[in-house]
Amino acid sequence: MNSYVTGSIIKKLREEKNMTQAVLAEKLNISDKTVSKWETGKGYPDITLLEPLAESLGVSVVELLSGNDITNRNRSFNMKRSLFYVCPICGNVIFATGEAVICCCGLTLPPVEAETTDKAHTINVEVIEDEYYVTVSHEMSKEHYISFFAAVTDNGVMITKMYPEQYAEARFKINRTHAIYAFCNKHGLFKVAV
């Protein structure tokens, strides 16, 4: 993790739960003075208390450590609100159908925002029988390449991982696909509706 739980986060989450310092302390089997020290920045919770503290405050340990309390607003599971998270260190691609706290290689990842295609990242989509044949005329060197293609449907996602020195192409079933994405390792995520 690139951060540690702060007193202001503990206080904010505790107050949102309408909990006093004494009530939180009782749940954790510690003194209310200890909770006060955390909230005023004069001390930090012991690592063994992180899980019970997070549970008492109604968040995950990752949310507690990141300082971001995530409320899933995607109650109706709409694939059009899909998010991609890409690790800048290892290239891991994580897909989520709503806002989440995603960590990889010790970093908390922000969602990658899709842009409309530009001249250098035009996503060409050709219909061949029951598939979309997707290409991007793009450099595919070890330093600069298309990392993945993705097709988002109304009930799932298909991802094709690309590697340097191969041609930037993929095939996806047409059935229920509403958007195609391409991710450039230097310029980010691009999207085209189909």
Side-chain angles (χ1 to χ4, degrees):
M1 283 297 135
N2 54 1
S3 63
Y4 193 70
V5 62
T6 63
S8 59
I9 293 300
I10 294 171
K11 183 176 182 178
K12 175 181 175 279
L13 294 171
R14 177 183 60 77
E15 288 175 346
E16 285 176 2
K17 291 276 186 193
N18 294 321
M19 206 183 311
T20 65
Q21 288 180 345
V23 170
L24 179 59
E26 186 178 321
K27 287 181 177 228
L28 299 173
N29 231 1
I30 58 173
S31 74
D32 56 342
K33 289 181 182 179
T34 302
V35 174
S36 178
K37 283 183 182 179
W38 296 345
E39 291 184 359
T40 57
K42 295 177 182 165
Y44 294 99
D46 185 86
I47 197 161
T48 60
L49 290 174
L50 289 182
E51 196 169 329
L53 176 60
E55 187 177 322
S56 297
L57 296 173
V59 296
S60 69
V61 173
V62 172
E63 290 171 292
L64 185 63
L65 290 171
S66 72
N68 298 323
D69 53 330
I70 301 298
T71 304
N72 186 0
R73 294 173 195 87
N74 193 16
R75 302 274 181 216
S76 62
F77 187 76
N78 186 339
M79 291 296 289
K80 291 182 180 178
R81 294 187 211 132
S82 300
L83 299 169
F84 289 92
Y85 298 81
V86 181
C87 180
I89 296 171
C90 70
N92 194 8
V93 178
I94 299 133
F95 175 79
T97 58
E99 191 177 358
V101 176
I102 305 289
C103 298
C104 189
C105 295
L107 300 172
T108 301
L109 305 177
V112 181
E113 294 205 22
E115 300 177 35
T116 54
T117 59
D118 59 23
K119 210 172 191 180
H121 299 92
T122 301
I123 301 172
N124 303 302
V125 180
E126 184 180 341
V127 176
I128 300 177
E129 295 179 9
D130 65 339
E131 293 181 320
Y132 287 124
Y133 175 61
V134 181
T135 60
V136 174
S137 182
H138 191 281
E139 175 183 349
M140 290 296 284
S141 68
K142 289 183 181 181
E143 294 79 33
H144 190 195
Y145 59 96
I146 297 297
S147 176
F148 70 87
F149 285 110
V152 176
T153 69
D154 62 354
N155 65 354
V157 64
M158 298 168 278
I159 298 176
T160 301
K161 183 75 173 123
M162 298 282 103
Y163 298 95
E165 300 176 357
Q166 78 177 90
Y167 190 65
E169 65 180 354
R171 291 180 180 270
F172 298 107
K173 290 289 184 189
I174 290 175
N175 191 19
R176 302 166 88 159
T177 299
H178 63 78
I180 304 283
Y181 295 83
F183 183 80
C184 171
N185 72 323
K186 290 198 182 238
H187 299 104
L189 190 65
F190 295 91
K191 173 185 176 181
V192 66
V194 290

